[in-house]
Amino acid sequence: MSSDAIRIERPTTNSKLFAHTRWDVVPAAGGLFHLAYFLGLYLLFPHAPLWVMLILGFIYSLMVNANINGVGHNFIHNPFFRSKLLNRLFGITQSIGCCFSQTLYDAVHMQHHKGNSDRQDENGDTVDWLSIYRHSHNDEAENLWSYVFLSFFRDDVGAIRAELRKRKNGDVFWGNIELAAFATTLLIMAIIVPTTPIHFINWRFILFFLPFWYLGHCFSYLNGYYRHYGANPDKPIAWGVSSYGKIYNWLFFYNGYHAEHHFRPKVHWTKMEKFRQSISDLQKQEGVRTIRRAHMLGFLDPDLPKRGGHRPQIETAEQSASG
């Protein structure tokens, strides 16, 4: 089977609201629930015991990871709604809930697909700004912990804006709106203590919230690391590493099928399982790597290749399944 001849099935719907399928109501509702949860943290903080808030804050961190890699990710590749305005408004809700810009994330993620976690070129640079090889040495993947905890601070906003300007479609304007929306939300939360009567200067909530916000994005980078660690940047069908756990993929809207996603990024999440079945023989032939754990727990997988002075050994999906 030729990889160039593979066709993907695109869902269609007669819905006047949704662009691809009515099933997109599920990730859309998930994104809105995340926003409501974030606002709920703020409103509950003055009234709940600290131990309860610490648990809820950790759950928020996990939700940031699931939102970015599930809802937000699918929204980039297959925007949910027919209306461009409705898609823009949903992007604002995503930006407030995750405290970042969905549109700037779009630019970074599209650059990720241009490079597909590529290795450094002769100038020590990578096309993919998120590549696990971008800040590495000796042609090996970067150390896991530096990638997870430092990537949050590495975004080049100037380069991201330059990429958005090339699109000439209003993305720069809407990116600024999203940044202003979540910054204004945090400012209001930092000023107003939601008690009766209202008090001012809510420093305790901000001190509580910021570490969990940061942790959520670190979880996202942890996911990203193991979606490419042990993959083959030189083979399109093996650009990613897949994990097929059902609950994991339900929660992340099939982004666990990551080798499949990088091979054909426009496959809708509702079609991913069927797409995998159609290319499974070719994947085995080309050595697509899989892991047994959800990507965020990839460091627990027993078959991970060792970091060292050599490129990772790529095993086939069939070998991984039988190991």
Side-chain angles (χ1 to χ4, degrees):
M1 181 191 302
S2 168
S3 63
D4 295 328
I6 294 172
R7 295 179 177 271
I8 63 173
E9 182 182 352
R10 303 283 290 162
T12 58
T13 179
N14 59 3
S15 171
K16 294 182 179 180
L17 179 61
F18 293 102
H20 306 287
T21 169
R22 290 180 173 86
W23 279 109
D24 278 335
V25 69
V26 181
L32 295 176
F33 176 76
H34 182 205
L35 173 60
Y37 188 95
F38 171 45
L39 299 177
L41 278 183
Y42 164 68
L43 295 173
L44 187 61
F45 183 79
H47 311 287
L50 180 59
W51 68 269
V52 171
M53 294 308 304
L54 291 175
I55 294 172
L56 295 178
F58 185 74
I59 293 172
Y60 173 79
S61 298
L62 296 175
M63 290 175 68
V64 168
N65 177 32
N67 192 335
I68 291 174
N69 291 286
V71 177
H73 175 259
N74 279 289
F75 183 65
I76 285 173
H77 290 284
N78 295 291
F80 301 151
F81 306 105
R82 291 192 185 276
S83 166
K84 290 183 179 180
L85 177 60
L86 197 54
N87 282 323
R88 293 295 191 183
L89 294 176
F90 184 77
I92 293 174
T93 68
Q94 282 287 101
S95 301
I96 296 173
C98 294
C99 293
F100 76 160
S101 165
Q102 175 72 27
T103 300
L104 269 63
Y105 168 38
D106 186 317
V108 173
H109 190 71
M110 287 298 100
Q111 195 71 21
H112 174 56
H113 277 280
K114 290 177 183 177
N116 297 287
S117 205
D118 54 327
R119 294 187 175 92
Q120 295 175 6
D121 60 20
E122 61 274 9
N123 299 314
D125 198 10
T126 61
V127 174
D128 177 5
W129 298 330
L130 298 176
S131 175
I132 62 176
Y133 299 97
R134 187 171 180 83
H135 298 276
S136 65
H137 304 283
N138 301 322
D139 202 30
E140 66 178 2
E142 181 181 359
N143 176 273
L144 168 66
W145 303 113
S146 63
Y147 184 86
V148 168
F149 291 111
L150 297 181
S151 290
F152 180 84
F153 305 103
R154 289 171 173 169
D155 282 341
D156 185 338
V157 177
I160 296 171
R161 288 183 181 278
E163 196 63 32
L164 291 178
R165 280 194 290 270
K166 293 178 185 177
R167 300 180 179 184
K168 298 180 180 179
N169 62 354
D171 275 1
V172 174
F173 171 79
W174 284 99
N176 289 336
I177 292 292
E178 291 166 355
L179 290 172
F182 89 74
T184 300
T185 301
L186 285 180
L187 180 61
I188 292 171
M189 290 178 171
I191 293 174
I192 299 175
V193 183
T195 55
T196 305
I198 289 176
H199 292 81
F200 296 97
I201 311 302
N202 198 12
W203 63 270
R204 288 184 177 85
F205 174 75
I206 296 301
L207 189 64
F208 155 80
F209 172 72
L210 290 181
F212 288 112
W213 170 51
Y214 169 68
L215 181 62
H217 287 269
C218 289
F219 283 155
S220 179
Y221 288 114
L222 179 60
N223 247 329
Y225 187 91
Y226 283 111
R227 283 175 177 162
H228 292 280
Y229 182 75
N232 188 342
D234 303 315
K235 280 187 178 182
I237 198 170
W239 274 335
V241 175
S242 288
S243 177
Y244 299 124
K246 287 190 178 298
I247 295 176
Y248 168 49
N249 279 288
W250 290 341
L251 291 174
F252 283 72
F253 299 99
Y254 287 83
N255 198 14
Y257 287 59
H258 212 65
E260 294 81 359
H261 171 66
H262 270 267
F263 188 46
R264 292 292 186 269
K266 294 299 287 184
V267 174
H268 193 272
W269 64 273
T270 59
K271 301 295 183 182
M272 192 61 74
E273 210 164 7
K274 185 175 181 181
F275 177 64
R276 183 217 171 186
Q277 293 170 3
S278 72
I279 63 170
S280 61
D281 290 342
L282 183 60
Q283 286 181 312
K284 292 175 183 177
Q285 175 185 325
E286 295 296 325
V288 173
R289 179 169 175 75
T290 65
I291 60 175
R292 303 175 188 179
R293 305 288 194 273
H295 287 101
M296 199 174 85
L297 301 176
F299 55 89
L300 297 176
D301 196 83
D303 299 322
L304 286 177
K306 302 287 186 182
R307 286 183 71 251
H310 303 285
R311 295 187 179 189
Q313 293 297 313
I314 307 300
E315 65 175 321
T316 67
E318 186 176 53
Q319 290 171 328
S320 178
S322 62

